[in-house]
Amino acid sequence: MASSDALLPISAREEDPLVSDGSRSDPNAETHRRKRPVKGLLAVSFGLLFIAFYVVLIATHHGSSRSNDVKIESDETATTTSRARLAGVSEKSNDQLWKLSGERNTVSFAWNNSVLSWQRTAFHFQPEQNWMNDPNGPEPKRLVADQRSDRREPAETRRRPDPGPLFYKGWYHFFYQYNPNAAVWGDIVWGHAVSKDLIHWVHLPIAMVADQWYDANGVWTGSATFLDDGSLVMLYTGSTDKSVQVQNLAYPEDLNDPLLLKWVKYSGNPVLVPPPGILPKDFRDPTTAWKTSDGKWRITIGSKINKTGISLVYDTIDFKTYEKHDTLLHKVPNTGMWECVDFYPVSKTAINGLDTSVNGPNVKHIVKASMDDTRFDHYAVGTYFDSNGTWIPDDPTIDVGMSASLRYDYGKFYASKTFYDQNKGRRILWSWIGESDSEAADVQKGWSSLQGIPRTVVLDTKTGKNLVQWPVEEIKSLRLSSKQFDMEVGPGSVVPVDVNTATQLDIEAEFEIKKETLDKILGDSSVVAEAEEFSCQKSGGSTVRGALGPFGFSVLADKSLSEQTPVYFYVAKGKDSKLKAFFCTDTSRSTFANDVVKPIYGSSVPVLEGEKLTMRILVDHSIVEGFAQGGRTCITSRVYPTKAIYGAAKLFVFNNAIDATVTASFKVWQMNSAFIHPYSEEAVRALSST
């Protein structure tokens, strides 16, 4: 029986260090900088209408004239009361999903404070209360003359002398979308926090609020850039008092302040408005700027034309005036609105990160877009052409947003953004992890959403076709006691793992199936070849048995396994007599609550010759993050057990294969709390001394 101490979350038993002493384009096409609008996008009459409306907009608000035109769409015609939909973005809508899942006529689960309190994470970043979503602005860049790719030294291996991402005067800065007034979307401002290690954070005062006509309906996603003289600028999307999405400029009030507590908005805002052919609610989320070969700064902004997702390209010298390209960075038909577009280089040969301005023969470029229609983050590996500001995918069959395209994460993971961390020469990925419960439950507990553990991201140099992601090394600082396990798990077995409470864990594991077993399965004609048709989502979950799987861990399980979240591999035989591995997370039995979306997540994962099957799992109360094969395939899930909480949360290893015995070797660490603190000068001083 667990001790009374084990019934408490780990964070209640460990000492807080802060309070203790101790569009495919021809690469040879002529470069255009001041070009005509995209061909075929605008009828003459439509353009005149845009011009007329924009003149009215600027005249009404005494704004300065801009070079592009905008159509103002009245909110009076809206047929829904959703504030987010009126603004042109998506807010949480899980309430309808669970009601349509077969339980629509049932009363929602009666949450109590004890269960809801347990759901709050211990080492993931989240505000003290209320709603949060997209990460903002953690990616400043600066390029000096000797960093250009025409240097003889390989561009992708050079270190940058600048202070890095929003790693400023010794602090990592994190800005995020925040509603200070409620646990639902709305009243969006910029939250702000600082850290020395990306794990232990101190909340700071709100960085920017919606106090101007050009951001009256929200201070939305943006990105930062360090200029050549060391100054810092921030471009962000504002939703105007007419719900038009525009781009605005801000900068720190005092560059000598390491905490960057105060920001000033440019008096000439907005600096960019929706161009002709782009609807007023389809123009958002500017990227970090990168340097072109002719010394200009370049950004891209997500949008759509009809159902085609696009990424617009602009050049600038001073971030106040812009030249719009006629060509697009990229476009993919039938993918809908592209949000939170990200664009960055990755090395083909090294495992270090690259500054966004780096280009060269040993560099590939990633285009990532968050799909507003599906709420998935898709990316593709490809080639960027600086001469005309275009990019093409290496494999057009898995282009950005297509059904077969690659994703950062196959679970609950959206609106992600990377930054180049000059402090350690790495590229870091952040993401908004939304809730899977009902909005009513969020209101009751007083908060909604969090950020995933920051991940390093590099090109998989073994395959050359995909990225690999891994939790930042600093997360290891939270590891407490550990246990090593080595065991054979027979077909149909479920084995309890003796780790006491299992609410906050870091698990690293290797699995191996004997070669003779694999050869037997491949040579057995009675074993169905299912690899081509298999899908984690449609498989029926971890209870459906196959010859070689599923096998893995059940996390956040109660003693009787009435609640559990299996994270597992499934190995399937293909029609080509080769084996294919899948990595899945099954949340269908994660909770007795009925007002929760409980999908089965997953995808295939490349396993190269000679590799064992490996996984890492981070468990932190209501979030489970899984990484297969060194991070080739990742799955984040939100789970809300009602019984498997506090000391009743257990860990099991299982093998539900029919024919295979699995050898499992794994290590399990208990994890400490990150002790994220409210703002005070004392908290900042304490964190700065750690």
Side-chain angles (χ1 to χ4, degrees):
M1 178 177 290
S3 68
S4 59
D5 186 56
L7 296 176
L8 296 174
I10 290 176
S11 58
R13 308 198 307 269
E14 299 300 326
E15 188 174 31
D16 182 344
L18 294 194
V19 297
S20 71
D21 295 330
S23 98
R24 205 173 320 284
S25 301
D26 181 358
N28 298 316
E30 180 183 358
T31 302
H32 295 285
R33 289 298 177 263
R34 294 177 175 84
K35 299 187 175 185
R36 300 183 306 274
V38 179
K39 296 177 181 179
L41 298 182
L42 183 65
V44 173
S45 59
F46 191 32
L48 293 175
L49 181 61
F50 263 68
I51 294 171
F53 274 125
Y54 183 55
V55 169
V56 172
L57 172 69
I58 298 301
T60 301
H61 297 286
H62 307 290
S64 58
S65 177
R66 295 285 172 259
S67 59
N68 296 317
D69 308 315
V70 63
K71 174 184 175 183
I72 306 303
E73 185 176 278
S74 172
D75 289 340
E76 294 177 1
T77 61
T79 59
T80 174
T81 57
S82 166
R83 296 179 63 191
R85 287 299 182 185
L86 285 174
V89 296
S90 301
E91 84 285 44
K92 181 173 179 176
S93 56
N94 289 344
D95 293 42
Q96 295 303 317
L97 292 177
W98 72 264
K99 288 178 181 177
L100 293 175
S101 66
E103 302 181 71
R104 64 182 299 158
N105 295 320
T106 62
V107 178
S108 60
F109 185 78
W111 298 99
N112 61 56
N113 289 337
S114 177
V115 176
L116 293 177
S117 295
W118 177 89
Q119 293 176 8
R120 190 166 179 88
T121 61
F123 55 86
H124 284 72
F125 178 85
Q126 59 187 123
E128 297 175 83
Q129 59 184 0
N130 297 327
W131 168 277
M132 80 172 305
N133 53 288
D134 308 11
N136 297 321
E139 164 109 46
K141 298 288 173 286
R142 184 163 51 129
L143 189 72
V144 295
D146 67 353
Q147 295 167 357
R148 303 283 282 279
S149 60
D150 55 0
R151 287 280 303 275
R152 289 195 298 174
E153 181 183 4
E156 66 276 13
T157 64
R158 290 197 304 275
R159 295 296 302 272
R160 300 290 177 257
D162 61 276
L166 254 184
F167 179 82
Y168 191 72
K169 294 185 181 296
W171 292 95
Y172 288 100
H173 288 255
F174 181 58
F175 300 91
Y176 56 93
Q177 304 283 273
Y178 178 55
N179 180 356
N181 301 317
V184 298
W185 189 92
D187 301 332
I188 295 298
V189 300
W190 273 32
H192 186 193
V194 291
S195 172
K196 287 289 185 176
D197 62 1
L198 296 171
I199 301 297
H200 300 86
W201 294 89
V202 171
H203 293 290
L204 297 182
I206 290 171
M208 282 197 289
V209 299
D211 58 1
Q212 302 295 324
W213 70 267
Y214 50 77
D215 59 16
N217 278 309
V219 180
W220 292 357
T221 301
S223 299
T225 303
F226 273 125
L227 305 184
D228 295 337
D229 61 1
S231 60
L232 173 64
V233 298
M234 190 81 75
L235 280 177
Y236 71 93
T237 297
S239 180
T240 73
D241 54 358
K242 301 296 184 183
S243 294
V244 177
Q245 294 170 12
V246 298
Q247 312 312 316
N248 302 308
L249 178 64
Y251 46 89
E253 181 178 278
D254 180 8
L255 285 171
N256 293 318
D257 175 16
L259 300 182
L260 299 174
L261 290 174
K262 296 182 179 180
W263 290 78
V264 177
K265 297 176 183 178
Y266 173 51
S267 61
N269 282 335
V271 296
L272 280 171
V273 299
I278 301 300
L279 296 178
K281 296 179 182 179
D282 296 337
F283 184 64
R284 56 185 177 268
D285 309 335
T287 62
T288 295
W290 68 94
K291 271 293 182 70
T292 66
S293 58
D294 60 2
K296 295 180 180 180
W297 292 101
R298 181 168 291 168
I299 64 169
T300 185
I301 298 173
S303 187
K304 69 175 181 178
I305 298 174
N306 297 320
K307 283 292 185 179
T308 297
I310 67 173
S311 190
L312 301 159
V313 179
Y314 292 88
D315 286 353
T316 184
I317 296 175
D318 58 6
F319 289 85
K320 298 176 182 177
T321 58
Y322 293 79
E323 301 167 352
K324 178 181 172 295
H325 282 226
D326 187 21
T327 55
L328 302 168
L329 179 71
H330 195 52
K331 66 178 180 180
V332 181
N334 301 314
T335 55
M337 176 67 195
W338 283 14
E339 298 187 296
C340 302
V341 172
D342 205 0
F343 174 77
Y344 57 91
V346 289
S347 174
K348 294 163 59 177
T349 58
I351 59 172
N352 57 284
L354 299 179
D355 179 280
T356 306
S357 295
V358 170
N359 200 358
N362 289 322
V363 172
K364 283 291 184 180
H365 278 80
I366 304 299
V367 168
K368 166 263 167 183
S370 299
M371 302 296 156
D372 191 33
D373 287 355
T374 63
R375 315 301 282 174
F376 297 145
D377 279 15
H378 291 262
Y379 76 89
V381 181
T383 301
Y384 166 64
F385 302 100
D386 175 83
S387 60
N388 60 5
T390 62
W391 173 94
I392 60 173
D394 287 351
D395 184 351
T397 65
I398 53 172
D399 205 348
V400 182
M402 299 177 69
S403 59
S405 69
L406 298 170
R407 287 165 54 183
Y408 279 156
D409 192 291
Y410 291 85
K412 192 75 173 179
F413 190 96
Y414 192 67
S416 58
K417 184 172 180 60
T418 67
F419 68 84
Y420 175 64
D421 176 9
Q422 172 58 29
N423 185 42
K424 293 194 173 182
R426 57 188 176 175
R427 182 162 289 274
I428 303 295
L429 172 68
W430 283 95
S431 181
W432 167 39
I433 312 299
E435 304 291 332
S436 295
D437 61 353
S438 68
E439 189 172 273
D442 294 344
V443 171
Q444 185 177 350
K445 69 189 178 189
W447 58 271
S448 179
S449 305
L450 47 91
Q451 294 292 313
I453 291 297
R455 305 173 181 179
T456 57
V457 56
V458 297
L459 184 68
D460 188 342
T461 56
K462 294 181 179 179
T463 67
K465 298 179 180 180
N466 55 273
L467 298 173
V468 289
Q469 306 160 56
W470 201 245
V472 292
E473 61 182 0
E474 290 89 341
I475 193 67
K476 293 181 180 180
S477 68
L478 299 179
R479 286 175 170 176
L480 299 171
S481 60
S482 65
K483 285 187 177 183
Q484 175 70 38
F485 300 87
D486 298 280
M487 62 181 73
E488 284 194 347
V489 188
S493 298
V494 180
V495 181
V497 181
D498 181 18
V499 293
N500 202 350
T501 185
T503 290
Q504 295 167 212
L505 300 177
D506 188 354
I507 306 167
E508 291 190 359
E510 290 183 349
F511 296 92
E512 191 171 14
I513 303 173
K514 291 181 179 179
K515 185 177 185 302
E516 49 265 35
T517 301
L518 298 177
D519 292 341
K520 179 181 178 182
I521 295 299
L522 288 175
D524 188 346
S525 60
S526 66
V527 176
V528 177
E530 59 174 339
E532 290 79 10
E533 290 77 30
F534 183 84
S535 163
C536 294
Q537 293 85 343
K538 300 177 182 178
S539 66
S542 62
T543 61
V544 178
R545 306 181 67 183
L548 298 174
F551 55 87
F553 294 96
S554 284
V555 302
L556 296 175
D558 69 323
K559 186 176 181 179
S560 67
L561 291 170
S562 60
E563 287 186 335
Q564 58 174 303
T565 300
V567 181
Y568 58 94
F569 286 112
Y570 189 95
V571 181
K573 176 182 176 180
K575 295 177 181 177
D576 57 0
S577 293
K578 294 181 180 180
L579 297 175
K580 186 175 183 179
F582 297 84
F583 185 54
C584 316
T585 297
D586 179 359
T587 69
S588 63
R589 292 169 292 151
S590 61
T591 178
F592 281 110
N594 63 338
D595 55 346
V596 172
V597 182
K598 295 176 275 189
I600 301 169
Y601 298 117
S603 181
S604 61
V605 56
V607 181
L608 306 185
E609 185 176 355
E611 291 183 343
K612 295 181 179 180
L613 291 166
T614 64
M615 71 167 71
R616 184 178 182 184
I617 306 172
L618 294 174
V619 180
D620 186 10
H621 295 257
S622 61
I623 181 172
V624 178
E625 294 181 88
F627 306 84
Q629 300 308 111
R632 289 186 185 132
T633 298
C634 307
I635 303 171
T636 300
S637 54
R638 298 301 307 279
V639 293
Y640 310 88
T642 61
K643 297 174 63 177
I645 59 177
Y646 298 111
K650 305 297 180 183
L651 175 68
F652 294 83
V653 62
F654 73 92
N655 175 17
N656 216 16
I658 297 172
D659 300 314
T661 294
V662 175
T663 299
S665 177
F666 56 97
K667 195 170 186 178
V668 183
W669 288 265
Q670 295 285 344
M671 295 291 280
N672 203 353
S673 170
F675 301 107
I676 299 173
H677 284 264
Y679 174 64
S680 71
E681 292 183 1
E682 180 182 0
V684 172
R685 284 195 301 269
L687 193 60
S688 64
S689 64
T690 58

